[in-house]
Amino acid sequence: MSEKVLIKGNYAIAQAALNAGLECYFGYPITPQTEIGEYLSGEMYKRNLAYVCAESELAAINMVLGASSTGAKTMTTSSSCAVALMQEALSYACADEVPVVLVNVMRAGPGLGYIYPAQGDYYQAVKGGGNGDYKMTVLAPSTVQECIDLTYRAFYLAHKYRNPTMLLADGLLGQMMEPAEFGEYPYPEVDNSSWALTGAKGRDGRAIYSLGACEEKQIKRIYHLFEKYKQIAENETDWEELNTEDADILLVAFGSMTRNIKAAMNELRKEGIKAGILRPITLSPFPTQRINEISKQVNNIIVVEMNMGQMVNDVKIAVEGNAKVDLINRPVGQWLSVEEIITGVKKVLENSYASV
Amino acid sequence: MQVFKIPDSIKKDSKYTFCPGCDHGIAVRLVAELLDEMNLTEKTICATSIGCSVFLYDFLNIDCIEAPHGRAVAEATGVKRARPDNFVFTYQGDGDFASIGLAESMHGALRGEKITAICINNTTYGMTGGQMGPTTILGQKTTTSPMGRFVDTYGYPIHIAEQIALCDGTAFSARVALDTVSHINQAKKALRKAFQVQLDGLGYGFVEFLATCPTNWKMTPEDAHERVRNEMIKTYPLGVFKDVTSD
Amino acid sequence: MPHIVIDKNRCKSCYICLNTCPKGLIKKSSETSRLGDYLVEFEDKNNECIGCAMCATRCPDMAIVEVHK
């Protein structure tokens, strides 16, 4: 399958999951990601793989937890307000170190919100909506091609580190069609024989659990998890950079909001404004160190988001006051047009010069 | 001839951490005996639950996954669908199975998941200190129904085994007690059947155990068993409510 | 000869066995547990035990670890 096909983001994610070796899917319908479950229902039946229309997202994510605990490649997909329902189990999955793959095709919130795209679940994804100290691995695709590539990577990272991994897409990516290439699943298979539940044959019983039972054990468990998160950050932090070498201003965006900032950057450069781009591909771990390095060289950092300003706060933490950080945003709906970004950037620059 | 020993499926040198006189100990032993007798130990994966039942993996030498509160049947569904050749059962309390997890427990039965669900009904939330649960009997005093459970405020208790028997995917549903030797023997027989229907691919196997909680009932172990006989069995009659293998 | 073996370390002094043995062969011991409760002991001077295992069946803690018939 190395030729380009015109495909919708949701179908691309579904097919990529199959290519990655998906064995079990558990899900519940919600717009704008329902096509994933629809597509997989037929495809998995044909392949004699496990597919359950769960009674709720709560049940779906817990079925995922059960199936993943056997080492099976397992996925559920959902959207914003329903991913909120899954937070308890995600906290368990982190604590249990179970390789869950979860796709969140974001829609608008809070509450029931609206079915239009948004990026309002950044906090929910990277800070964790569940209880306790934990971190999921979060990948943010910006094109349908990346929906495929990062679905592959999500399966690999989830199993390599035994950590829940989320593909954080949004309704725009889920619903739009683009040419994309599937290729082969590019990662090695991860050996899970040392921990997966298979029945205690020829060995003692194994238990996957999160109960600390005493303070000492609980402290040990948390330090163990954070040692792992450190490793993930060292090995897997990923981002894309454009024209940062000579940039005076840096545009930072993730997911579908990055789609117009390249054109905006080119326009700005034509007008003599030296703009560069940094696009985090992993939102957790976040490219904090790289943003800090660049912040020492630029005057302004402008974060472009489809929410009321969430990633901007992680950027501010990374920048450590080295540069002025501003936000250009729209809470719901469309990515910003090139003109809107340019106008926004100019407004920020005017204000920041005025304040000097 | 040795006629009784600690089952092989029980972890060597493990000791129950249940309160004195708690029937959990008997239920876990029956599970272990059947795993031994039916030769299932090496292919079993258990979904444990939250509450006093959480420590199961400390006692049984089998593979276990700890489910979040109420989600054991969902987890067991995931395990069984991923690994249909394994033997999969849940071990839950009545609060876990029939209150917070009622949707998962019932939909598992409706889908006819080929798993076995075990529910220990002691009419209270034991681990948290004796609050009113879904099965608390009318008139029973608990820390959150200090005047006794009455319908106007607290509603009615749930008859779990009968409800599960109504689900089309259920192959076997029974209620048993652990207060006397004969009831314990009947309980083991029912549990064997609930295991067997899974092995035969017939559907969801379910057993509700009426059990004591002497600590929270504030009774001696024998008085607690007396209460099982005089109160619980009257409210929750013992019996097999569905068995697809009988004509 | 029919007899039982009690593991004192497993016994939690619930005394269910006392009422269960049809021959009354299990009684409170003078020995106490770590928590100060009287443990139980098996005494069968007249070889009355028949190895029915009712005590082991009802013991919630598997403290009656062996029954011989």
Side-chain angles (χ1 to χ4, degrees):
Chain A
M1 274 201 289
S2 56
E3 69 190 64
K4 283 209 164 166
V5 288
L6 187 64
I7 191 166
K8 204 173 180 175
N10 281 339
Y11 293 132
I13 291 168
Q15 183 58 49
L18 287 171
N19 294 355
L22 182 70
E23 294 172 76
C24 306
Y25 177 91
F26 308 97
Y28 188 89
I30 178 171
T31 310
Q33 63 77 48
T34 306
E35 292 90 345
I36 302 176
E38 287 177 338
Y39 181 84
L40 288 175
S41 63
E43 291 299 317
M44 295 187 79
Y45 182 78
K46 276 190 246 166
R47 292 167 167 80
N48 198 21
L49 298 168
Y51 180 99
V52 179
C53 300
E55 60 270 28
S56 68
E57 288 87 355
L58 218 58
I61 189 70
N62 282 286
M63 290 174 190
V64 169
L65 216 59
S68 296
S69 73
T70 69
K73 285 188 182 169
T74 311
M75 176 173 85
T76 184
T77 61
S78 194
S79 180
S80 304
C81 41
V83 174
L85 269 173
M86 299 181 174
Q87 296 302 322
E88 178 200 34
L90 291 174
S91 170
Y92 272 76
C94 282
D96 291 350
E97 299 190 81
V98 168
V100 169
V101 174
L102 165 64
V103 178
N104 180 358
V105 182
M106 284 184 282
R107 56 189 262 168
L112 187 55
Y114 193 48
I115 57 173
Y116 271 21
Q119 294 183 324
D121 300 345
Y122 176 89
Y123 279 160
Q124 189 196 52
V126 308
K127 308 297 179 197
N131 59 308
D133 282 314
Y134 73 88
K135 289 180 185 182
M136 284 197 296
T137 310
V138 182
L139 311 175
S142 64
T143 60
V144 171
Q145 182 62 55
E146 272 196 335
C147 285
I148 297 168
D149 299 342
L150 294 183
T151 298
Y152 290 159
R153 199 189 297 183
F155 275 96
Y156 177 60
L157 294 182
H159 284 261
K160 182 178 177 189
Y161 294 100
R162 290 171 57 191
N163 200 44
T165 303
M166 180 192 274
L167 187 76
L168 190 66
D170 62 52
L172 273 172
L173 290 165
Q175 294 298 324
M176 73 183 197
M177 292 178 92
E178 269 189 322
E181 219 174 306
F182 280 94
E184 300 279 310
Y185 177 65
Y187 300 102
E189 293 303 324
V190 178
D191 177 25
N192 54 35
S193 58
S194 64
W195 62 269
L197 303 184
T198 54
K201 191 168 187 177
R203 59 166 169 80
D204 276 340
R206 284 176 182 156
I208 293 182
Y209 63 99
S210 61
L211 180 70
C214 73
E215 186 187 338
E216 196 187 335
K217 275 191 191 167
Q218 190 60 21
I219 289 173
K220 212 175 136 192
R221 180 188 294 275
I222 292 173
Y223 275 120
H224 163 73
L225 288 177
F226 274 72
E227 192 51 46
K228 184 172 81 175
Y229 300 150
K230 212 171 109 188
Q231 264 181 37
I232 299 176
E234 276 169 17
N235 303 338
E236 310 298 342
T237 308
D238 194 11
W239 67 93
E240 187 191 358
E241 243 176 84
L242 269 175
N243 289 338
T244 47
E245 306 80 23
D246 65 340
D248 291 327
I249 68 164
L250 179 72
L251 298 170
V252 184
F254 74 95
S256 62
M257 280 308 256
T258 53
R259 298 181 64 94
N260 272 339
I261 62 170
K262 284 180 195 170
M265 175 191 70
N266 290 334
E267 290 300 315
L268 287 166
R269 283 202 167 243
K270 275 184 203 159
E271 295 180 32
I273 300 169
K274 284 198 250 173
I277 291 175
L278 187 143
R279 172 175 78 90
I281 294 171
T282 56
L283 297 177
S284 169
F286 193 69
T288 306
Q289 202 185 331
R290 184 58 192 145
I291 291 175
N292 181 271
E293 283 162 18
I294 299 174
S295 71
K296 291 171 187 159
Q297 147 212 328
V298 299
N299 300 318
N300 291 81
I301 294 181
I302 299 167
V303 180
V304 188
E305 288 187 86
M306 207 194 300
N307 55 41
M308 292 308 286
Q310 297 189 15
M311 185 175 71
V312 66
N313 291 315
D314 280 344
V315 173
K316 279 180 183 167
I317 290 168
V319 167
E320 291 181 324
N322 291 329
K324 194 168 175 299
V325 180
D326 285 280
L327 172 73
I328 304 177
N329 71 320
R330 177 207 296 263
V332 180
Q334 287 290 329
W335 54 62
L336 292 166
S337 70
V338 177
E339 292 71 35
E340 282 172 313
I341 297 169
I342 292 174
T343 312
V345 169
K346 286 183 177 169
K347 216 169 168 183
V348 166
L349 293 180
E350 275 165 30
N351 289 343
S352 71
Y353 292 139
S355 68
V356 167
Chain B
M1 185 182 69
Q2 189 166 351
V3 291
F4 181 89
K5 61 166 188 165
I6 294 182
D8 295 335
S9 294
I10 296 284
K11 275 189 180 168
K12 298 278 165 287
D13 303 322
S14 71
K15 265 195 289 181
Y16 287 151
T17 44
F18 302 123
C19 303
C22 170
D23 281 347
H24 262 300
I26 303 175
V28 174
R29 192 190 77 226
L30 295 182
V31 169
E33 285 177 356
L34 286 171
L35 292 179
D36 285 1
E37 290 167 23
M38 299 171 84
N39 215 4
L40 293 171
T41 314
E42 292 189 337
K43 57 184 262 188
T44 295
I45 300 176
C46 169
T48 68
S49 59
I50 308 296
C52 297
S53 46
V54 74
F55 296 111
L56 200 73
Y57 47 72
D58 283 343
F59 315 134
L60 289 179
N61 192 12
I62 55 171
D63 281 5
C64 292
I65 168 120
E66 162 207 80
H69 200 16
R71 317 290 165 234
V73 169
E75 299 235 354
T77 299
V79 172
K80 188 70 179 184
R81 296 289 185 121
R83 302 287 178 251
D85 294 337
N86 282 103
F87 177 77
V88 182
F89 75 94
T90 73
Y91 187 93
Q92 306 168 258
D94 56 287
D96 195 275
F97 186 92
S99 188
I100 190 168
L102 185 59
E104 285 77 11
S105 305
M106 227 166 213
H107 278 279
L110 289 165
R111 281 193 305 271
E113 292 297 339
K114 288 155 193 71
I115 60 169
T116 305
I118 295 168
C119 173
I120 309 297
N121 174 3
N122 59 10
T123 71
T124 188
Y125 288 103
M127 180 70 105
T128 45
Q131 294 74 33
M132 197 196 87
T135 52
T136 296
I137 293 171
L138 291 179
Q140 184 182 340
K141 286 183 180 172
T142 70
T143 62
T144 49
S145 59
M147 291 75 68
R149 181 177 193 164
F150 51 90
V151 173
D152 278 1
T153 300
Y154 299 104
Y156 293 96
I158 179 171
H159 289 64
I160 309 172
E162 289 90 331
Q163 297 283 351
I164 293 299
L166 289 173
C167 299
D168 287 345
T170 302
F172 182 81
S173 176
R175 182 183 294 114
V176 297
L178 300 169
D179 60 321
T180 63
V181 173
S182 66
H183 281 162
I184 292 170
N185 290 338
Q186 283 164 21
K188 189 171 172 183
K189 213 170 134 192
L191 191 57
R192 187 188 296 274
K193 207 113 194 227
F195 279 7
Q196 193 60 46
V197 290
Q198 177 188 165
L199 294 171
D200 294 343
L202 297 172
Y204 193 79
F206 176 74
V207 181
E208 173 186 349
F209 288 85
L210 299 184
T212 54
C213 184
T215 302
N216 288 307
W217 294 356
K218 298 175 176 57
M219 289 177 175
T220 65
E222 278 300 50
D223 286 349
H225 283 110
E226 203 60 39
R227 174 176 184 252
V228 171
R229 273 188 289 282
N230 296 337
E231 278 184 55
M232 284 177 77
I233 294 179
K234 280 185 188 138
T235 310
Y236 299 118
L238 305 184
V240 175
F241 301 98
K242 187 171 184 186
D243 181 0
V244 295
T245 63
S246 75
D247 297 316
Chain C
M1 196 188 347
H3 68 281
I4 64 169
V5 179
I6 298 172
D7 181 347
K8 286 179 217 161
N9 293 318
R10 302 185 79 95
C11 177
K12 289 181 188 154
S13 310
C14 73
Y15 306 134
I16 288 174
C17 51
L18 267 57
N19 301 329
T20 304
C21 179
K23 311 277 185 185
L25 301 176
I26 306 174
K27 56 176 195 187
K28 276 189 197 176
S29 151
S30 55
E31 200 180 338
T32 55
S33 70
R34 190 171 52 87
L35 299 172
D37 296 313
Y38 290 110
L39 294 166
V40 296
E41 61 188 14
F42 173 71
E43 200 180 75
D44 188 12
K45 284 178 186 153
N46 304 320
N47 296 337
E48 288 177 86
C49 179
I50 55 165
C52 69
M54 283 166 71
C55 52
T57 304
R58 286 200 73 202
C59 175
D61 287 289
M62 292 184 289
I64 295 157
V65 290
E66 287 175 30
V67 178
H68 297 268
K69 204 167 182 171

